[in-house]
């Protein structure tokens, strides 16, 4: 694989904190939670009654007819992609923007896929019979539907990949996009992930496996990474998209560059289908792999946007990973847990958190972790509870993502 340098030239998101990147960044810096009490009729019977709904509904943005042909997860994907594409300076399709569509790719993930489409059509089948099931159900529910619709919208023909690695999926999309460019298969790739799983069945399933917090207090205080009172994650929804390009391609067209993808690492725990390796060995291999991939000195890492879901075991394991990979330098690293505000976006998490990591580098300001009242003594990290300034000069930041099945992805971004 070549050492082609890969840079970020566009970003887009829709999530519980904001309907675009600017609003999201302002909300994260302000410590604003997007977690709310669910108002759906079905929520009253659920063991968990809170979640992170997106701040701006797709109906306020997308054409109504087009939206009806898309699962909610794909709706989020197209909204975030449109912002990222325009932010990168492109208009219309790839060819209309002066690009060769054969050199534009997609690496866009989902952890679960079109679960709301699947379950609603199953309800229709039971209640009204097979003739009433939507003929669009399969192209709406398939996990690669968001990637396919992005490819169709922008005429991106290099590839339309869909990594499905649970909660690590969005970050894996960024890693695969980086590989596409380094392998010479594309000049520009739309990368990231999406999820829309706020539905009775996923909520009941996550709750019954003791993964979700059952705290029924103020919804904005329930997601609390590293706090001694944490008892599980808060389900969220949303999407994030990055436009990645080779540095040469970006410079040739005079593009604004936010950051560089310095290195990526992927590993598997091979430990348990749901629980992380308690020693954090798998995640450590992913982080070490990202550092090796970019020939990165651990001392250049000044900030980590951690996976930090608020699960008792996961938060401790991630702390061990950072100590194992960054050594004594970990004491000089500012750590943020933005899921304290967004909730856990599953397949969209790694993408949205990549955006937060890049914005932190770009503005030299790490976002806070909210709801951290009493830090777990087993987690020996410098966790920002207020916005924290980052150093000047050439610096790097790490984004971690881990998922069920033992999936681990680490991405290191560098200032430029």
């Amino acid at each position: 694989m070549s050492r082609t340098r890969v840079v970020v030239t566009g970003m887009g998101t829709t999530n519980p904190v904001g309907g675009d990147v600017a609003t999201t960044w302002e909300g994260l810096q302000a410590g604003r939670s997007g977690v709310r009490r669910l108002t759906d009729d079905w929520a009253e019977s659920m063991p968990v009654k809170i979640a992170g709904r997106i701040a701006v509904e797709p109906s306020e943005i997308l054409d109504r007819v087009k939206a009806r042909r898309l699962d909610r997860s794909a709706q989020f994907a197209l909204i975030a992609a449109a912002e990222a594409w325009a932010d990168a300076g492109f208009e219309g399709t790839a060819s209309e923007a002066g690009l060769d569509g054969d050199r534009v790719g997609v690496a866009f993930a989902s952890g679960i896929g079109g679960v709301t489409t699947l379950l609603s059509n199953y309800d229709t089948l039971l209640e009204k019979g097979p003739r009433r099931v939507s003929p669009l159900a399969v192209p709406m529910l398939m996990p690669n539907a968001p990637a396919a619709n992005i490819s169709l919208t922008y005429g991106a023909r290099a590839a339309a990949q869909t990594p499905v690695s649970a909660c690590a999926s969005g970050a894996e999309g960024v890693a695969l996009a980086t590989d596409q460019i380094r392998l010479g298969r594309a000049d520009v790739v739309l990368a990231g992930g999406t999820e829309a799983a706020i539905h009775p069945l996923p909520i009941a399933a996550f709750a019954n496996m003791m993964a979700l917090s059952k705290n029924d207090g103020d919804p904005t205080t329930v997601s609390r990474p590293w706090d001694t009172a944490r008892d599980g994650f808060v389900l969220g929804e949303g999407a994030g998209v990055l436009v990645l390009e080779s540095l040469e391609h970006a410079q040739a067209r005079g593009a604004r560059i936010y950051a560089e993808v310095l290195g990526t690492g992927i590993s598997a725990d091979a430990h348990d289908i749901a629980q992380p390796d308690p020693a954090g060995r798998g995640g450590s291999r992913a982080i070490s792999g990202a550092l090796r991939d970019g020939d990165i000195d651990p001392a250049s890492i000044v900030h980590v946007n951690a996976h930090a879901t608020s699960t008792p075991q996961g938060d401790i394991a991630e702390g061990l990973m950072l100590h194992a990979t960054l050594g004594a330098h970990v004491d000089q690293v500012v750590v943020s847990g933005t899921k304290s505000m967004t909730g856990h976006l599953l397949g969209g998490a790694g993408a949205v958190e990549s955006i937060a990591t890049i914005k932190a580098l770009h503005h030299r300001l790490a976002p806070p972790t909210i709801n951290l009242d009493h830090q777990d003594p087993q987690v020996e990290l410098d966790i920002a509870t207020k916005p924290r300034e980052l150093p000047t000069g050439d610096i790097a930041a790490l984004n971690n993502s881990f998922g069920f099945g033992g999936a681990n992805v680490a991405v290191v971004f560098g200032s430029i």
Side-chain angles (χ1 to χ4, degrees):
M1 190 178 296
S2 75
R3 296 309 306 167
T4 299
R5 295 175 66 184
V6 178
V7 296
V8 182
T9 58
M11 298 185 288
T13 186
T14 182
N15 63 76
V17 174
D20 55 30
V21 171
T23 307
T24 299
W25 181 242
E26 182 275 324
L28 293 178
Q29 289 298 327
R32 184 172 66 239
S33 173
V35 180
R36 299 288 182 269
R37 193 163 298 279
L38 292 168
T39 58
D40 308 77
D41 292 340
W42 50 260
E44 283 306 309
S45 63
M46 289 290 106
V48 172
K49 300 177 175 61
I50 64 168
R53 288 279 193 195
I54 59 166
V56 180
E57 282 295 319
S59 59
E60 299 182 35
I61 302 169
L62 294 177
D63 173 78
R64 178 172 169 270
V65 174
K66 183 175 184 178
R68 290 182 63 185
R69 303 173 67 88
L70 300 169
D71 180 78
R72 190 171 172 85
S73 62
Q75 293 174 10
F76 297 164
L78 288 184
I79 289 168
E83 182 187 6
W85 191 247
D87 187 45
F90 300 129
E91 293 184 12
T93 64
S95 60
E96 290 167 346
L99 302 172
D100 179 357
D102 291 348
R103 301 288 301 165
V104 178
V106 179
F108 197 79
S110 177
I112 296 179
V115 64
T116 55
T117 293
L118 173 65
L119 295 172
S120 64
N121 274 271
Y122 185 62
D123 289 342
T124 298
L125 173 66
L126 296 180
E127 295 167 8
K128 300 179 181 179
R131 293 182 62 84
R132 298 298 296 275
V133 171
S134 171
L136 298 175
V138 170
M140 289 173 66
L141 66 84
M142 61 190 191
N144 67 315
N149 279 286
I150 292 173
S151 173
L152 287 165
T153 299
Y154 298 106
R157 300 187 297 269
Q161 295 176 293
T162 303
V164 180
S165 299
C167 307
S169 302
E172 191 165 340
V174 175
L176 291 181
T178 301
D179 286 350
Q180 280 195 37
I181 294 170
R182 288 179 175 176
L183 288 165
R185 294 172 178 167
D187 299 316
V188 179
V189 182
L190 294 103
T194 186
E195 207 76 84
I198 298 177
H199 179 281
L201 192 147
I203 288 178
F206 278 129
N208 289 345
M209 69 185 301
M210 309 302 290
L212 289 183
S213 171
K214 295 184 180 179
N215 185 332
D216 200 33
D218 178 356
T220 65
T221 68
V222 173
S223 185
R224 42 196 323 111
W226 301 298
D227 192 85
T228 53
R230 71 192 185 279
D231 67 335
F233 72 82
V234 174
L235 183 61
E237 62 179 5
V241 176
L242 306 180
V243 174
L244 302 186
E245 295 183 57
S246 68
L247 176 62
E248 181 182 18
H249 189 274
Q251 289 177 331
R253 67 181 189 87
R256 173 190 52 207
I257 297 173
Y258 288 107
E260 181 175 0
V261 182
L262 296 179
T264 67
I266 299 175
S267 73
D269 281 358
H271 169 75
D272 185 87
I273 197 67
Q275 298 295 338
D277 177 346
R281 288 176 289 240
S284 295
R285 288 196 302 275
I287 296 169
S288 295
L291 295 173
R292 280 196 310 275
D293 181 46
D295 194 19
I296 301 161
D297 182 351
S300 68
I301 303 292
V302 300
H303 172 53
V304 174
N305 189 301
H307 187 59
T309 62
S310 297
T311 59
Q313 302 93 333
D315 287 5
I316 292 172
E318 187 169 13
L320 296 174
M321 296 172 202
L322 293 174
H323 277 272
T325 53
L326 302 182
H329 174 68
V330 75
D331 294 336
Q332 310 302 315
V333 177
V334 180
V335 182
S336 298
T338 48
K339 287 185 181 73
S340 62
M341 294 169 275
T342 64
H344 192 351
L345 276 54
L346 307 182
V352 174
E353 289 157 21
S354 288
I355 291 171
T357 307
I358 293 162
K359 292 290 282 185
L361 280 176
H362 190 68
H363 294 284
R364 309 286 169 144
L365 195 64
T369 303
I370 66 171
N371 304 324
L372 183 54
D373 299 326
H374 303 285
Q375 185 168 330
D376 189 330
Q378 296 182 79
V379 179
E380 298 178 343
L381 299 171
D382 180 12
I383 300 167
T385 55
K386 295 180 180 179
R388 190 88 67 83
E389 288 189 7
L390 299 177
T392 57
D394 293 335
I395 57 175
L398 168 68
N399 179 33
N400 288 334
S401 292
F402 313 119
F404 284 178
N408 308 300
V409 180
V411 182
V412 178
F413 297 97
S415 59
I416 194 167

